[in-house]
Amino acid sequence: MNYLFFDTECANCLHGEGKICSVGYVKTDESFNILRKKDILIDPSAPFLLGNAKNGEGIQLGYPLSRFRYSHTFPFYYEEIKRLFTAPDTLCFGFCIHQDIGFLDYTCSRYGLPFFSFEYVDIQKLDKALYGLKDYRGLDTLVETFGLARFTYHRSDDDALMSMEVLQKLLEEKNLGLSQAIAKFPMIHGESLSLAKNLQERRKQKEKQRQIRKASKALFEGKALPSLSYYTPFFWGKNVYFKPTCLYFHLDYLLKNRDRFLVRGMHLVENLSKADIVIYDRGDSIGKLREVNGKATFLLFNHFVKKVEKHQ
């Protein structure tokens, strides 16, 4: 069997969509003897936005940006890349591999090309599992920890090489063979199409949640004066909090009927700890909610609707 260690770099990842500008790899045999090392430079057909959102500092890619611009776009290299990953008896390795697979999947779909299936092992997950760590460690941290030679970070083939050397050290230190490690920690091993599908679903859920958060602001904007004509002691003057699942599944109803809630004397709040009444949905666990606010009254969403509809 051959091993393929790989890494990708992107010009930007706006909206979580990585525009790949390089795919680097190191191909080895089962003894980690290097058979080939190569960096495939790609014109991302997108702006280079390499800033770090946390501190404003940009990463430094391994080549001048002009080298990428003078290369071909991804479709030109597609068959070469596909052959690498799908070659018989090949196991692929990456560090924080879900990012790279997400980028490859998006880039294929961006150009109307089918993504391809391959088996993978995530070296970062293996490190976390081997040492029982709470958080993941970065490649640079592990290179320093093991005293490995530093190559050029953010040059894909060098990152792939460092990933390979980190894997060797992890297995040596724990006196494990690769097959033993996979058997002991099956979560490090997977298949690319299944992971890509899960990542797509996760992105859709995040986008829907973002849209819901944006739309739900209208619930808490503007005012409708309470009216004694609609007085009910259960709701009058009470702070009402809707659990996020209610917003997720019932936002249209809530927005449409917002004024009906307000004229009944409710105050709609975004802070669980301030709530007198907490509205939750079927399937929700309310144990943790009670830990935050044990004084509130908890009411299922459909019971809440019935109470509102009862007092027309």
Side-chain angles (χ1 to χ4, degrees):
M1 175 173 283
N2 289 325
Y3 296 157
L4 183 73
F5 296 84
F6 78 99
D7 178 65
T8 63
E9 292 294 338
C10 295
N12 73 68
C13 294
L14 291 175
H15 312 299
E17 299 167 341
K19 288 77 173 181
I20 289 178
C21 61
S22 68
V23 177
Y25 67 90
V26 173
K27 189 174 182 178
T28 78
D29 60 20
E30 293 184 57
S31 299
F32 300 104
N33 296 309
I34 296 176
L35 305 176
R36 193 175 188 196
K37 177 176 181 284
K38 183 180 179 182
D39 212 356
I40 302 172
L41 303 189
I42 298 167
D43 177 3
S45 190
F48 283 89
L49 303 171
L50 305 173
N52 185 308
K54 292 183 179 179
N55 58 27
E57 297 175 358
I59 66 169
Q60 182 68 47
L61 294 177
Y63 307 89
L65 299 189
S66 58
R67 288 281 303 277
F68 302 100
R69 291 296 187 206
Y70 288 133
S71 300
H72 297 284
T73 56
F74 183 81
F76 182 85
Y77 307 102
Y78 172 76
E79 289 298 336
E80 176 185 358
I81 292 169
K82 180 181 176 181
R83 281 195 300 271
L84 276 171
F85 285 86
T86 60
D89 295 321
T90 297
L91 181 59
C92 301
F93 298 81
F95 196 91
C96 191
I97 202 168
H98 71 276
Q99 290 188 342
D100 297 297
I101 287 179
F103 298 154
L104 283 169
D105 178 45
Y106 166 73
T107 302
C108 285
S109 66
R110 181 185 178 200
Y111 291 101
L113 299 167
F115 192 35
F116 35 84
S117 174
F118 57 88
E119 283 188 72
Y120 68 81
V121 169
D122 190 328
I123 300 169
Q124 188 183 50
K125 280 189 175 182
L126 175 61
D127 172 57
K128 183 181 179 184
L130 282 173
Y131 295 95
L133 300 174
K134 181 180 179 181
D135 300 312
Y136 290 107
R137 295 193 284 185
L139 180 61
D140 53 347
T141 298
L142 287 169
V143 167
E144 184 176 343
T145 297
F146 290 126
L148 299 172
R150 291 170 180 253
F151 296 92
T152 304
Y153 288 111
H154 302 299
R155 171 173 160 157
S156 293
D157 59 342
D158 279 357
D159 281 348
L161 177 59
M162 288 187 282
S163 296
M164 180 201 76
E165 294 184 346
V166 163
L167 175 64
Q168 287 180 280
K169 286 294 184 181
L170 290 172
L171 296 175
E172 287 172 10
E173 189 163 286
K174 294 297 183 178
N175 194 28
L176 278 175
L178 179 61
S179 59
Q180 291 175 304
I182 294 173
K184 189 173 183 179
F185 306 109
M187 78 290 291
I188 71 172
H189 178 243
E191 186 273 329
S192 60
L193 292 179
S194 295
L195 178 58
K197 184 177 180 180
N198 291 338
L199 293 173
Q200 289 170 9
E201 188 58 35
R202 221 176 292 171
R203 282 196 296 270
K204 289 178 183 177
Q205 294 295 329
K206 284 184 177 180
E207 177 58 22
K208 185 172 181 180
Q209 288 168 359
R210 186 191 68 79
Q211 292 174 352
I212 286 171
R213 284 195 299 271
K214 182 178 179 181
S216 66
K217 289 181 179 179
L219 273 176
F220 310 99
E221 294 174 349
K223 294 181 179 180
L225 294 176
S227 170
L228 288 174
S229 302
Y230 296 95
Y231 174 81
T232 169
F234 186 82
F235 289 125
W236 194 265
K238 303 292 178 58
N239 292 333
V240 178
Y241 171 83
F242 295 100
K243 197 173 182 298
T245 47
C246 293
L247 300 179
Y248 189 89
F249 291 110
H250 309 293
L251 184 60
D252 288 344
Y253 173 85
L254 294 174
L255 291 174
K256 182 179 179 180
N257 292 279
R258 184 189 72 112
D259 288 350
R260 295 175 67 188
F261 309 149
L262 298 181
V263 297
R264 286 162 174 76
M266 302 181 209
H267 305 294
L268 306 184
V269 297
E270 299 179 78
N271 191 328
L272 170 60
S273 64
K274 295 181 179 179
D276 301 306
I277 300 172
V278 174
I279 313 300
Y280 65 100
D281 211 0
R282 293 190 183 278
D284 282 335
S285 172
I286 62 175
K288 290 185 178 179
L289 298 178
R290 290 190 188 279
E291 291 177 12
V292 177
N293 186 345
K295 297 179 181 179
T297 298
F298 288 79
L299 189 66
L300 269 170
F301 181 81
N302 62 334
H303 294 164
F304 166 77
V305 171
K306 287 178 182 179
K307 280 185 173 290
V308 172
E309 302 291 342
K310 182 178 179 181
H311 300 281
Q312 295 293 331

